[in-house]
Amino acid sequence: MSLDSSIERTIKLVTLKNALEYDGKAKLEAVISKTMASRPDLRTNIKVIIPEIKRLLDQVNSLAISEQKTLLQEISPPAVEPEKQVEKFSGLPELHGAELGKVVTRFPPEPNGYPHIGHAKAAIIDEEYAKMYNGKLILRFDDTNPLNERVEYYDAIKEGIEWLGIKPAIIKNTSDDIFILQDYGKKLVTSRGAYVCRCDQKTIQMLRSKGLECACRMDNNSYEQALVEMFAGSFEPNEATIRFRGDMTSLNSAMRDPTLFRIIDGDHPVLGTKVRVYPTYDFAAPLEDSLDGVTHAMRTKEYELRNELYNAVLERLHLRKPVVSEFSRLEFEGLPVSKRRIKPLIENGSLSGWDDPRLPTLIALKRRGFLPEAIRKFVLSLGWTLAEAKPPFESLEAFNRKNLDEHSMRLFFVRDPIELRIKNANPVSVELRNHPSSNLGSRSVRVNDTVYIARSDADRLSEGSTIRLMELYNVKITKVELAQDIGRIYADMISTNLTHSIQKIQWVAYDDKLPYKIIIPKKLFSNDKFNSNSLEIASGYAESFVSNLRLHSSVQFVRYGFCRIDNSQQAVFTHR
Ligand code: ATP
Ligand code: MG
C-alpha cells in the first residue's frame, strides 16, 4: 500500500521525535500508540498501517542522530499560531506500564453540578487512553456526599459525556458499592489500620497542626465497640469519624490521619436515607479504582499530595494499586470553572442558569454553537501538560471555526438598521447562494427600492461615497440623514458591475425583514470580579429566510460572525 502523504508525515514525525528521545532508536510500541492517538481515524486500518510504521521506523532508526534532527526540522510543523494550531500535531504521551488490551481508565465526576470544559478535558483524555490501548473506560459517579448530589446533575453529566461522543464501557455509581466500601472500612478498623475518632473538628485540626495523636487513636480496648456504635447509628454527624492511622508527624499533611468515613444525614439521590456512614473521597477513590480493575487512574494536579495516601490505603488493605498520574486543570482566562464561583451567580440571578452562554459548562458551549469535535481536537492539541493551563478562549474558537465553516449558511443580519433608499432602482428578485462553495442551496429575495444596512456601515458613509450591496448592485450615496438612533440614507443605483476596490456590505430588503436579536456573551469575570456587562444584546433585522433555519443550527451572519439559532427571534453569538 502507498500511504497518503499526511499519514506518512505523521508517522515520520512521531518516529523521529521518539527516536530522539531514546538515543536515536524509536520504539515500535510507542510509535504505534502515538500515531493512533494523533490519527484516531487510522485505527480501523491498523493491520495495514502497522507494517508501514515498521518500514518507516526502520528507515528512521538507520539514520544517525544528527540526520534525524535535520529531518525532523524539515518536516515538523511551524511554531504555533492560533489558527495554525488546528493542524498542529498532538499526541498524548505513553502511559507508564500500559499493555495493549488491558488498560482500564475511569472518569469519576461528583454529580454536584453541570460538567464543564475541565471535565471535558479529563473525560477525553481518559477515553483517548482507553482507545489508544484497546482498553475500556468507566464512567463512575463519585457520589458519596448526599448533601451535594442531585439526580439533575447525574443526568447533566451523562448528557455532556454523550454529547462529547464519549462511550464508556461501564457506567456506575460509587454509591452502588456503599456496603462493600463500608465493609472495607470496618476491616481497616478491626485490623487497626484506622480508628473511630470521637474528637470534634476543632480538636482534630489543632492536633493535626501540632502533629499530635489523640486518645481515640491510642485506644486499645473499646475501639471495636466504637465501630459497632458508629454503624448502628448511635452518633450524630460530627460526633464520630473513621480516620486513617497515618503518621501525625508526616511532612505530607494528607498523611496526618485523614478522615475516611463520616456521618452524613441527607437524602441521597440513589440510597435515600438508609445510609448514614459515607466514605470520603480519600477512601472511596482508591478502593473503587482498585476494585473496578482500573489500571491507570488520572486526576488533576491538585491531588498530587494525596497520592501517598491513595497508595497507603490500598497497601493496608492488600489491594492492587493502579498507576496514578496527574494532568493540569484546564480553564479559560476570565472564565472560571469552579462551582464555588458559578453556583452563587446562578442563585442570585446574575446568570440565567447552567446553560447561560457566558459559562464554560458543556451545555452552555453547546448552546453557543461549539461542536464536540472541536472541543476534542482542542483538548488533544493541549496534550498532556502539567503546567497550569489557562489558554485564551480564542484557541478553542479556532478549532470550532474550522468545523463550522463549510456547514453554516451565510446569511445577512444588520445590527441597528438604517434605511437606505435607492432612487432609480427597479424592483428585482435576486437569487442568493447560501454558501460560496458548499452545496447549501439558495434563497430568492425581492428588493424594491429600500434596504436596511447596519448602523456601523451607515456611520462610515457620506455624500458621494460608493458602496456595493453584496450580490445586488452598487450605489452612490446622495444624502445622509443620521441622528442619534434614527436615520435614513439616500442613494442612486450606479452600475451592476462589480468593482473590486469598493466596500461590500450586507443588507436586508425592506419587505424581507425579520426583527432579530443576537445574544453576545462576553468575559464573565474581569479582574477576578463578575463582569456585569458580560452579556450584550444586538438588535436588528435578519433576512426572513432565517426563520426557516432549524432550531439550534449554526449560521454565519456575513461580516458579523457565527451564531447558533436559539429560538425563532434570536441567536447566540458563537465567535467571529
Ligand atoms: P469542581 O471544582 O468543578 O467541582 P472537581 O475537581 O471537584 O471540580 P469532579 O467532579 O470531582 O470535579 O471531577 C471529576 C474529574 O474531572 C476529576 O478527575 C478531576 O480531576 C477532573 N477535573 C475537574 N475539573 C477539571 C479541570 N478544570 N481540568 C481538568 N480536569 C478536571
Ligand atoms: Mg468535586
Side-chain angles (χ1 to χ4, degrees):
M1 155 185 157
S2 75
L3 287 181
D4 119 13
S5 65
S6 85
I7 304 178
E8 176 149 351
R9 188 170 149 279
T10 302
I11 300 175
K12 272 194 186 155
L13 208 54
V14 173
T15 313
L16 286 164
K17 284 185 176 175
N18 193 260
L20 290 168
E21 246 178 82
Y22 294 103
D23 280 334
K25 297 286 173 246
K27 306 254 188 306
L28 184 61
E29 280 239 14
V31 173
I32 294 176
S33 67
K34 284 187 177 164
T35 305
M36 296 301 147
S38 70
R39 290 288 304 255
D41 55 312
L42 300 181
R43 272 192 205 106
T44 48
N45 242 336
I46 196 153
K47 287 218 177 78
V48 189
I49 298 290
I50 287 180
E52 292 301 318
I53 295 182
K54 281 192 181 134
R55 180 176 65 81
L56 292 167
L57 182 126
D58 287 343
Q59 271 178 22
V60 166
N61 283 355
S62 68
L63 301 173
I65 291 186
S66 60
E67 294 173 301
Q68 290 174 343
K69 280 188 183 154
T70 320
L71 191 55
L72 179 62
Q73 258 167 15
E74 271 171 30
I75 67 166
S76 66
V80 214
E81 292 162 38
E83 294 291 334
K84 292 274 169 52
Q85 196 186 350
V86 176
E87 302 294 347
K88 192 182 89 171
F89 162 78
S90 81
L92 297 171
E94 267 178 282
L95 273 186
H96 180 72
E99 279 181 66
L100 219 59
K102 294 191 181 154
V103 167
V104 179
T105 60
R106 88 289 182 267
F107 171 59
E110 182 181 4
N112 64 349
Y114 276 64
H116 51 60
I117 187 73
H119 290 121
K121 172 178 176 177
I124 287 168
I125 288 183
D126 289 326
E127 191 203 30
E128 285 291 327
Y129 273 123
K131 283 203 291 199
M132 190 195 287
Y133 291 99
N134 277 329
K136 66 178 184 192
L137 166 72
I138 300 173
L139 166 59
R140 182 180 82 221
F141 289 100
D142 258 342
D143 53 351
T144 59
N145 186 347
L147 301 180
N148 295 340
E149 294 141 15
R150 282 208 232 148
V151 174
E152 179 191 353
Y153 301 142
Y154 291 75
D155 293 343
I157 293 169
K158 254 184 238 162
E159 271 162 36
I161 290 295
E162 206 171 293
W163 179 66
L164 288 172
I166 293 175
K167 296 188 189 68
I170 294 170
I171 300 181
K172 64 167 294 189
N173 304 319
T174 297
S175 63
D176 298 341
D177 299 330
I178 189 74
F179 300 114
I180 300 174
L181 295 172
Q182 287 187 346
D183 285 345
Y184 274 106
K186 291 174 191 167
K187 197 168 144 189
L188 206 52
V189 173
T190 314
S191 63
R192 318 276 347 241
Y195 59 95
V196 175
C197 181
R198 303 287 319 273
C199 301
D200 58 51
Q201 280 308 310
K202 256 199 171 139
T203 313
I204 292 179
Q205 259 172 29
M206 185 268 294
L207 292 175
R208 220 173 240 152
S209 69
K210 291 188 174 159
L212 298 175
E213 299 176 358
C214 68
C216 315
R217 185 194 221 254
M218 292 173 275
D219 170 21
N220 285 319
N221 303 313
S222 55
Y223 65 94
E224 284 192 300
Q225 179 58 27
L227 182 64
V228 172
E229 286 175 13
M230 173 133 185
F231 281 91
S234 314
F235 303 132
E236 292 304 310
N238 297 324
E239 279 185 357
T241 54
I242 293 178
R243 294 174 65 192
F244 189 66
R245 194 181 291 276
D247 174 1
M248 290 306 283
T249 61
S250 173
L251 289 178
N252 179 355
S253 57
M255 293 304 290
R256 295 190 185 180
D257 292 18
T259 304
L260 302 184
F261 284 87
R262 69 266 199 240
I263 297 169
I264 303 175
D265 279 328
D267 192 355
H268 190 279
V270 178
L271 300 168
T273 51
K274 71 180 175 212
V275 169
R276 294 182 78 225
V277 183
Y278 284 96
T280 58
Y281 175 85
D282 283 328
F283 189 74
L287 270 276
E288 286 288 292
D289 288 349
S290 182
L291 298 173
D292 287 342
V294 171
T295 56
H296 293 79
M298 290 162 266
R299 46 187 188 175
T300 36
K301 201 168 177 301
E302 73 271 17
Y303 290 109
E304 208 168 3
L305 279 179
R306 313 199 83 78
N307 289 352
E308 187 181 352
L309 174 61
Y310 181 104
N311 288 321
V313 166
L314 293 176
E315 269 163 30
R316 207 161 281 176
L317 284 163
H318 308 290
L319 291 171
R320 183 191 55 90
K321 288 186 286 183
V323 179
V324 181
S325 51
E326 297 82 32
F327 48 75
S328 61
R329 283 180 81 78
L330 167 64
E331 67 178 30
F332 294 113
E333 251 168 53
L335 208 51
V337 296
S338 153
K339 280 158 235 175
R340 193 172 44 79
R341 309 206 55 189
I342 292 174
K343 264 188 180 164
L345 293 173
I346 294 178
E347 277 154 17
N348 74 16
S350 301
L351 293 171
S352 60
W354 291 97
D355 68 345
D356 189 294
R358 285 165 284 183
L359 286 174
T361 52
L362 298 182
I363 193 175
L365 290 170
K366 174 181 175 185
R367 176 165 173 211
R368 189 170 170 174
F370 282 88
L371 299 171
E373 307 86 271
I375 293 180
R376 182 180 293 260
K377 284 184 190 152
F378 163 70
V379 162
L380 293 174
S381 80
L382 300 173
W384 183 284
T385 42
L386 266 181
E388 203 46 31
K390 272 202 192 180
F393 196 71
E394 290 73 30
S395 49
L396 170 61
E397 292 179 353
F399 286 90
N400 204 55
R401 192 171 295 116
K402 197 170 149 73
N403 278 4
L404 280 183
D405 207 22
E406 56 183 310
H407 307 292
S408 309
M409 289 192 192
R410 301 201 184 166
L411 305 177
F412 293 159
F413 165 76
V414 291
R415 181 176 182 170
D416 304 327
I418 296 290
E419 236 179 82
L420 174 69
R421 285 211 182 154
I422 306 138
K423 212 168 67 197
N424 53 341
N426 297 320
V428 281
S429 264
V430 277
E431 194 69 16
L432 301 173
R433 296 194 54 177
N434 296 336
H435 194 281
S437 52
S438 301
N439 188 9
L440 299 179
S442 64
R443 63 205 189 271
S444 133
V445 179
R446 178 137 187 101
V447 186
N448 290 319
D449 65 351
T450 304
V451 298
Y452 291 99
I453 62 173
R455 173 83 200 209
S456 56
D457 286 327
D459 279 340
R460 277 183 278 119
L461 297 178
S462 56
E463 203 181 309
S465 47
T466 312
I467 44 163
R468 179 168 186 80
L469 298 172
M470 285 178 153
E471 319 278 330
L472 191 60
Y473 41 64
N474 298 349
V475 295
K476 184 165 186 170
I477 307 303
T478 54
K479 192 158 66 164
V480 178
E481 290 175 353
L482 285 181
Q484 186 70 353
D485 44 26
I486 188 160
R488 187 172 291 153
I489 295 181
Y490 298 87
D492 287 333
M493 179 181 142
I494 48 173
S495 123
T496 49
N497 294 335
L498 178 71
T499 322
H500 282 291
S501 56
I502 65 174
Q503 166 95 64
K504 297 180 209 129
I505 64 171
Q506 81 279 17
W507 48 272
V508 171
Y510 187 83
D511 294 320
D512 189 39
K513 57 180 180 286
L514 172 71
Y516 208 67
K517 281 193 172 34
I518 295 178
I519 302 178
I520 310 170
K522 299 279 181 65
K523 270 211 173 121
L524 188 58
F525 281 76
S526 71
N527 295 328
D528 235 29
K529 279 211 208 67
F530 173 65
N531 170 12
S532 50
N533 295 319
S534 50
L535 200 63
E536 189 182 325
I537 311 269
S539 310
Y541 293 140
E543 307 176 48
S544 66
F545 186 80
V546 168
S547 62
N548 298 332
L549 296 184
R550 245 182 332 108
L551 187 65
H552 303 328
S553 57
S554 282
V555 53
Q556 184 178 13
F557 285 120
V558 175
R559 297 181 63 239
Y560 198 78
F562 289 94
C563 294
R564 185 173 188 258
I565 309 295
D566 204 40
N567 63 42
S568 60
Q569 286 116 41
Q570 74 179 33
V572 182
F573 188 71
T574 313
H575 45 62
R576 284 201 71 83

